[in-house]
Amino acid sequence: MDSFNSKAVKVLNSILEITDAEIVVSSDWKLHCTLEDLQDMFIKYGVSKAPIATTPNHVLKSLDEIESTRVAEITEWLSNHPDVEKWVAI
């Protein structure tokens, strides 16, 4: 991964500033990087906040299950963090 798209970073930073949201990574990046690596990467490429966590990793049985697997991972993370009342997936 060479860099982040600068336009996307600008939009994400605006969202973070307006909402005071935190970042939880659910992408496959969590399989290749530690949380600390992800935090360093986000800051290196200009994101105003680093991720605070990653979602659990569920085993993907087939490519047809990517969406449902991701939903299950996010749902599990949210159930383990009942203090989170508002969230959005980007």
Side-chain angles (χ1 to χ4, degrees), residues 1-18 23 29 41-50 90:
M1 187 173 326
D2 294 330
S3 66
F4 288 4
N5 178 291
S6 60
K7 289 179 185 178
V9 168
K10 186 175 180 177
V11 171
L12 178 57
N13 284 339
S14 293
I15 292 168
L16 294 171
E17 182 179 338
I18 291 167
I23 300 169
W29 292 355
M41 187 185 324
F42 273 59
I43 297 304
K44 176 181 177 181
Y45 292 118
V47 180
S48 61
K49 287 186 173 183
I90 299 175

